[in-house]
Amino acid sequence: MKTDLTDTTSSKINKALVLGRRAIGTPAVGMVLTLVIVTDEENAYDALKAANEASREHPSRTLVVIKRVSRSPRDRSKARLDAEVRLGADASTGETVVLRLYGEVVDHAQSVVLPLLLPDAPVVVWWPVNAPTDPAKDPLGALAQRRVTDTYAAEQPIQELTARADAYTPGDTDLAWTRITPWRSMLAAALDQVVCEVTSAEVEGEEFNPSVELLAMWLAERLKIPVRRSASTGPGLTSVRMETSSGPIVLDRPDGSLATLSIQGQPDRAVALKRRDTAELIAEELRRLDPDDTYATALKFGLERLDEEAAVTAPEVVETVVETAAESAAQAAPAAKPATKKAPAKKAASK
């Protein structure tokens, strides 16, 4: 069931929700939370599709806030709210309200959203794109217990990651962190199988991928080791190599679907490690609404500190390469001299 409301108010939207529930025969509200999606018109369809799929696991009232840009000064001075109320099959297992804000009301989105929140239910705000620098201080973010961003969709992901660390507030999280949950689980399980000491690690992935940086910071903070990062063609994360006292442990995923776990002294194992879509990531974030302390610790470790610790072993590697090249040249030089002495003899013999 779908109801379109033009130039409306929050009270009229609430009334349309009640009438819609009665019309489809479900007068009771069975939602467990309110999910507020703040996006633009371009990304609204994909974000809403992911939220509807996630609502099968977490029935919720989804409020999609779309701030429309007015072209003329006259339009910008007029405040208008259009809404689209979806119930039943059009909203999966929850309720969906698409809010389009025009004019001055764009700067007061929280006043529109606040009357539509479910009473006594947690609130999650998700910015698929164009997230604020400090989500907790955003007027909509201040209404929520959890605030979800995605640095992978930012124009400069690495700089955005640093800004997130500076402005972190308990309750913040990022889908770039959610993407590495299977990697963290697999690496932790691999270390449980071997009694060893990890000395260093290397994380490989596509360039400008914040998940690579977050996984490297998590390893460096948890294992207290230097971690290097290297670029690959992707997709996403492609490999993690840990040097240990019992030999290397390598988790390699070249195709974005199937990975190979290699542990010294054990046969290689194929493990499912496919790249997950946005609906699965959002569903995971909605399973826990308390602050993610592990994410906070890894994020606050800092990219600068990660670079400093990763550079500790770099000079030693360079010196070793130079020494090896010098030794090879010294061994090859004596062998070249007899060859030059025999050359005239060969010419004399030919004559």
Side-chain angles (χ1 to χ4, degrees):
M1 180 179 177
K2 187 183 296 186
T3 304
D4 291 327
L5 302 173
T6 304
D7 197 7
T8 186
T9 62
S10 298
S11 60
K12 292 180 181 178
I13 296 172
N14 267 322
K15 184 177 180 180
L17 286 168
V18 174
L19 294 176
R21 284 197 300 269
R22 289 178 181 174
I24 63 176
T26 56
V29 179
M31 310 297 106
V32 298
L33 58 88
T34 303
L35 175 62
V36 182
I37 304 174
V38 186
T39 183
D40 53 18
E41 201 72 62
E42 179 183 358
N43 297 278
Y45 174 80
D46 292 333
L48 186 55
K49 181 181 177 182
N52 285 340
E53 293 179 10
S55 70
R56 297 172 185 170
E57 184 178 342
H58 310 279
S60 58
R61 174 177 289 180
T62 304
L63 306 177
V64 184
V65 179
I66 302 175
K67 300 178 180 181
R68 299 296 298 267
V69 178
S70 301
R71 296 183 179 180
S72 65
R74 181 179 299 173
D75 292 337
R76 285 193 291 270
S77 64
K78 296 179 181 178
R80 194 179 94 214
L81 170 64
D82 293 345
E84 186 180 320
V85 180
R86 303 179 185 178
L87 295 168
D90 292 318
S92 189
T93 60
E95 300 174 346
T96 300
V97 181
V98 181
L99 304 168
R100 289 183 171 86
L101 283 59
Y102 300 84
E104 296 178 351
V105 75
V106 168
D107 299 325
H108 305 281
Q110 72 279 5
S111 62
V112 176
V113 170
L114 187 60
L116 301 176
L117 301 179
L118 291 172
D120 301 325
V123 180
V124 178
V125 178
W126 171 32
W127 291 269
V129 293
N130 302 326
T133 304
D134 191 347
K137 291 185 179 179
D138 183 83
L140 286 173
L143 302 175
Q145 285 76 38
R146 289 298 299 270
R147 295 163 292 276
V148 184
T149 57
D150 191 358
T151 52
Y152 186 79
E155 217 172 289
Q156 296 180 325
I158 308 306
Q159 290 83 345
E160 193 80 9
L161 201 62
T162 304
R164 292 278 175 273
D166 296 336
Y168 175 80
T169 303
D172 293 353
T173 190
D174 199 292
L175 294 186
W177 170 257
T178 316
R179 290 184 180 95
I180 64 174
T181 300
W183 285 84
R184 295 188 294 119
S185 302
M186 197 63 64
L187 293 172
L191 289 176
D192 287 340
Q193 300 177 31
V194 184
V195 179
C196 63
E197 180 182 352
V198 183
T199 56
S200 65
E202 181 177 2
V203 180
E204 183 182 86
E206 63 182 357
E207 197 172 5
F208 305 117
N209 189 330
S211 296
V212 175
E213 310 294 334
L214 285 169
L215 184 57
M217 288 190 287
W218 176 73
L219 286 170
E221 193 279 327
R222 302 299 291 180
L223 299 176
K224 306 296 186 289
I225 57 171
V227 181
R228 292 185 295 272
R229 291 99 74 210
S230 57
S232 69
T233 57
L237 279 163
T238 54
S239 177
V240 175
R241 180 185 180 91
M242 296 186 292
E243 300 292 342
T244 73
S245 56
S246 300
I249 298 177
V250 182
L251 183 60
D252 185 46
R253 188 192 65 178
D255 60 354
S257 177
L258 191 65
T260 302
L261 177 62
S262 303
I263 301 177
Q264 187 76 18
Q266 300 182 17
D268 292 352
R269 278 166 277 185
V271 293
L273 203 63
K274 76 177 185 70
R275 303 191 74 193
R276 298 181 295 168
D277 57 21
T278 307
E280 293 179 83
L281 301 177
I282 287 295
E284 179 183 329
E285 284 300 331
L286 295 180
R287 290 188 196 116
R288 53 174 299 174
L289 298 177
D290 55 323
D292 192 342
D293 296 331
T294 308
Y295 165 70
T297 305
L299 184 66
K300 292 181 179 180
F301 185 85
L303 293 173
E304 299 81 5
R305 185 178 170 190
L306 185 65
D307 291 330
E308 291 173 2
E309 296 196 3
V312 172
T313 57
E316 298 178 2
V317 175
V318 174
E319 290 175 4
T320 304
V321 172
V322 173
E323 290 175 2
T324 305
E327 291 174 1
S328 301
Q331 292 175 359
K337 290 181 180 177
T340 54
K341 291 180 180 178
K342 291 180 181 179
K346 289 182 181 179
K347 290 182 180 178
S350 62
K351 292 179 181 178

